[in-house]
Amino acid sequence: MSEPRPAPDPRGTAPGPRRMKPAQLLFEPPEAVTDPEHFFGLESMEDPRELLGRATELALAFRAAADRATEFQALAAAQLADPSRFDRMPLATLAEQAEWTEDYAQKMIEFGRGLMRSGSTLPGETD
């Protein structure tokens, strides 16, 4: 399994960052999601060493998950923009659907094509 690769900045030339609603995490209890102060039990930790350790674990896990999700976005973008597809998606439509600039969409398509050429093993695939 290969290490996640950083992707280009999704904001491209778009105006300032937008705040997006975070997705509900499947392993966090639904009742905890309704409490804005609750975040994986971190708010109840009193030992700063324990808090730092657990928060670091979560940050690394989320970063790795974001990198993998970005790789999947790139693969999907490359597939949707493939000129051999009869239902090829125009660059502007792809960018709009993914909430990217057209320049960033083009970079993601190229990134996805590179992943496909390298035969990168992604979750759900076997070596």
Side-chain angles (χ1 to χ4, degrees):
M1 181 183 252
S2 65
E3 288 295 314
R5 297 169 194 79
D9 184 350
R11 293 177 299 231
T13 58
R18 293 188 312 240
R19 292 195 55 102
M20 297 180 74
K21 180 181 175 189
Q24 180 179 353
L25 299 169
L26 299 178
F27 52 86
E28 188 170 20
E31 61 275 359
V33 175
T34 60
D35 178 4
E37 296 299 314
H38 178 81
F39 190 74
F40 294 92
L42 296 180
E43 70 288 341
S44 63
M45 291 183 175
E46 294 186 20
D47 178 5
R49 290 180 196 273
E50 181 184 4
L51 178 59
L52 177 61
R54 181 66 179 135
T56 300
E57 288 174 354
L58 285 169
L60 293 173
F62 288 131
R63 192 173 303 135
D67 288 345
R68 296 305 271 171
T70 300
E71 287 181 347
F72 277 111
Q73 284 182 306
L75 287 170
Q79 292 169 354
L80 289 168
D82 185 347
S84 66
R85 289 178 63 111
F86 78 93
D87 60 345
R88 178 183 181 189
M89 187 177 285
L91 183 64
T93 305
L94 177 64
E96 181 181 345
Q97 183 174 338
E99 299 182 13
W100 296 332
T101 64
E102 287 187 33
D103 287 342
Y104 183 73
Q106 185 61 50
K107 289 178 184 177
M108 287 295 280
I109 291 166
E110 292 166 10
F111 180 49
R113 287 177 179 158
L115 289 172
M116 289 190 293
R117 278 192 300 274
S118 72
S120 176
T121 302
L122 295 172
E125 298 178 352
T126 57
D127 284 321

